[in-house]
Amino acid sequence: MSNTTGKAAIVTGGSRGIGRAIVLALAEAGYHVAFSYASNQAAALEVENAAKAFGVDCLAIQANAADVKEAQDLIEQTHKKFGRIDALVNNAGITRDGLLMRMSDEDWAKVLDTNLSGAFYTCRAASRIMLKQRAGAIVNISSVVGVFGNAGQANYAASKAGLIGFTKSIAKEFGSRGVTANVVAPGFIATDMTESVPKDKLIEHIPLARLGEPEDIAKTVLFLITSGGYITGQVIHVDGGLVF
């Protein structure tokens, strides 16, 4: 039985972790969803099928977030299939950690290209559709590291801090056309990105004394998309109280 709202959303980096949770939350809420993935086709197909089980359509598209043409194609394919784009979630991100004095040009550029330029490419393409619709919601996934920094992650912190300034700027540009733009800044979430870090060391800094779950982020993203019509230009911390 179909549960569709007729609305459509795009999620970058949707085959695992936080991205997967966001795709499924949107599908459960009745959104048709397209999502990009880097290389794991099996994982992407699993998410696609899980989303379709909610009675909506779902489209997995292999795309490199740092490639401007592939980012534009992601937007165009989604618009062609669903006829509209109501929400864009930029979740795709990578890390290439290392101390600054040892960081290679490639590791700096790769992280900035994927995490920041990728969001620029998709937002630019999707905004043309959303502004014409006079409606839409953009949510960019940053990080607490983009707010307070972290030794050994100068590239990652710069990319995530850049997302915050970028989002605040486009919120001012798009607001008069009914398009919102917000940031969700996760803290330490139980995904493969935190798998190698000792949990006790992380938890001692978190007032709620636990790691977050991908679904904690997905619920916040879903709220901004479905109920956050008068919220724009904001940074929502979902971090168990790590940052005040």
Side-chain angles (χ1 to χ4, degrees):
M1 183 171 143
S2 177
N3 183 37
T4 179
T5 62
K7 293 185 175 183
I10 300 173
V11 180
T12 67
S15 65
R16 60 193 176 93
I18 290 171
R20 179 184 186 277
I22 293 169
V23 170
L24 297 183
L26 285 163
E28 187 174 11
Y31 280 72
H32 299 305
V33 189
F35 69 91
S36 68
Y37 68 98
S39 58
N40 191 335
Q41 187 178 37
L45 288 175
E46 184 275 325
V47 176
E48 188 179 87
N49 290 331
K52 286 179 177 178
F54 290 110
V56 300
D57 204 352
C58 185
L59 181 65
I61 300 172
Q62 187 169 9
N64 176 5
D67 185 295
V68 61
K69 185 178 186 309
E70 292 185 20
Q72 289 171 343
D73 286 347
L74 173 66
I75 304 301
E76 288 168 9
Q77 285 184 57
T78 304
H79 189 235
K80 184 177 180 180
K81 183 170 181 64
F82 300 127
R84 58 187 296 115
I85 296 174
D86 298 281
L88 168 64
V89 183
N90 281 300
N91 169 72
I94 62 168
T95 57
R96 293 288 187 274
D97 295 349
L99 295 175
L100 184 66
M101 63 182 180
R102 296 177 188 153
M103 187 174 290
S104 68
D105 295 347
E106 182 183 0
D107 284 348
W108 172 266
K110 183 71 173 173
V111 170
L112 269 290
D113 286 348
T114 301
N115 298 3
L116 183 56
S117 296
F120 161 64
Y121 298 145
T122 55
C123 284
R124 181 174 61 183
S127 68
R128 292 168 181 149
I129 296 163
M130 290 180 172
L131 295 175
K132 194 173 288 186
Q133 292 172 171
R134 302 188 75 87
I138 295 168
V139 181
N140 292 323
I141 307 298
S142 179
S143 168
V144 291
V145 173
V147 178
F148 62 53
N150 196 29
Q153 288 193 307
N155 49 2
Y156 185 74
S159 70
K160 294 301 188 178
L163 266 182
I164 292 172
F166 170 73
T167 306
K168 287 178 176 287
S169 297
I170 64 173
K172 293 180 186 298
E173 291 186 28
F174 299 163
S176 64
R177 294 290 188 93
V179 177
T180 62
N182 291 286
V183 170
V184 171
F188 296 124
I189 308 299
T191 67
D192 55 2
M193 286 184 81
T194 57
E195 193 63 40
S196 61
V197 183
K199 302 298 182 289
D200 292 345
K201 187 176 180 182
L202 296 178
I203 288 172
E204 68 184 26
H205 299 291
I206 303 171
L208 287 185
R210 67 174 179 87
L211 298 189
E213 297 294 333
E215 289 74 19
D216 292 319
I217 308 304
K219 288 173 186 175
T220 306
V221 171
L222 186 64
F223 167 77
L224 288 170
I225 290 171
T226 61
S227 304
Y230 200 56
I231 302 171
T232 197
Q234 303 304 307
V235 181
I236 312 297
H237 294 275
V238 186
D239 60 12
L242 185 64
V243 175
F244 287 93

